[in-house]
Amino acid sequence: MKVLAFSDLHMSRRRGATLVEASREADLVIGAGDFCNMRHGLGDIMALLSDIEAPFVAVPGNAESDAELRAAALPNMTVLHGDGMEIGGLALFGLGGGVPVTPFGDWSFDLSEAEAGAALGRCDAADLLITHSPPKGLGDVTSEGRSVGSTAIRDAIRRIQPRLAVCGHIHDSWGETGQIGDTQVVNLGPAPNWFTLETGA
């Protein structure tokens, strides 16, 4: 399965148009959160992305809540937040929001480490783990050099060992990749990221 994945679009029409064009070659599109800005403009960016025809799986970022994303979701979009699904023989599990709680204030949709750990605890197995926030120690370093990723997400990756774990959230670490056990972890960013996942079909 040819998978197109991105994060942190933040209402960029130019980047959105690039993703729509790229999606014509995709079997599955993954959006790892932060479609809008500070809880505003979600409907506008969804309208731009409505030309994506492939199955589309998304998690909320900290810039939109799960309820807001579900309300604005496109007809071909499934929103995951503390739950999973199977598509084309692949098992997916998703968790959105900023983890741990961000310093951004009331507009930010955040989860504590305990809340994230409880939600991720519902996942026993997955081929692809989609989170908005990165795991602690990988793809999580800010411009000030601080590691701000989630220990709950790191621990879940170690436990579940999905084939691929994708995230976003920390803009300064866009494009960073690494391994946690046998799992490839990628902080996506808003450019097209391509992965091929065998389904065994």
Side-chain angles (χ1 to χ4, degrees):
M1 181 177 288
K2 194 171 183 183
V3 179
L4 169 65
F6 68 94
S7 70
D8 302 283
L9 191 53
H10 288 293
M11 293 188 65
S12 170
R13 297 189 66 82
R14 177 179 61 82
R15 292 183 184 276
T18 298
L19 290 164
V20 168
E21 182 62 29
S23 74
R24 304 187 198 287
E25 306 297 321
D27 299 312
L28 174 64
V29 175
I30 300 293
D34 275 7
F35 293 90
C36 65
N37 290 320
M38 298 174 68
R39 313 293 276 274
H40 297 292
L42 186 56
D44 292 337
I45 198 63
M46 287 293 120
L48 177 63
L49 298 177
S50 65
D51 287 334
I52 292 176
E53 297 179 357
F56 195 166
V57 178
V59 302
N62 65 296
E64 63 273 330
S65 71
D66 58 325
E68 290 161 351
L69 188 56
R70 290 183 202 280
L74 301 170
N76 60 327
M77 179 183 282
T78 301
V79 176
L80 299 179
H81 180 61
D83 50 359
M85 65 178 295
E86 185 173 313
I87 186 166
L90 291 177
L92 284 64
F93 193 90
L95 182 73
V99 186
V101 174
T102 71
F104 303 139
D106 290 344
W107 66 262
S108 189
F109 176 61
D110 298 332
L111 300 175
S112 68
E113 292 284 12
E115 290 170 326
L120 290 163
R122 296 195 285 269
C123 180
D124 295 322
D127 298 301
L128 174 56
L129 180 66
I130 309 154
T131 61
H132 179 59
S133 294
K136 183 72 172 177
L138 205 166
D140 72 332
V141 177
T142 69
S143 59
E144 292 83 25
R146 298 198 300 110
S147 169
V148 295
S150 165
T151 57
I153 292 172
R154 181 194 63 202
D155 292 347
I157 293 171
R158 285 179 174 161
R159 175 176 59 83
I160 300 163
Q161 287 289 275
R163 286 190 270 164
L164 176 65
V166 296
C167 59
H169 189 43
I170 306 304
H171 297 196
D172 300 299
S173 290
W174 283 347
E176 184 173 336
T177 66
Q179 294 283 133
I180 296 177
D182 294 328
T183 300
Q184 180 188 10
V185 181
V186 183
N187 183 325
L188 297 165
N193 295 263
W194 288 102
F195 306 95
T196 300
L197 293 176
E198 298 298 329
T199 62

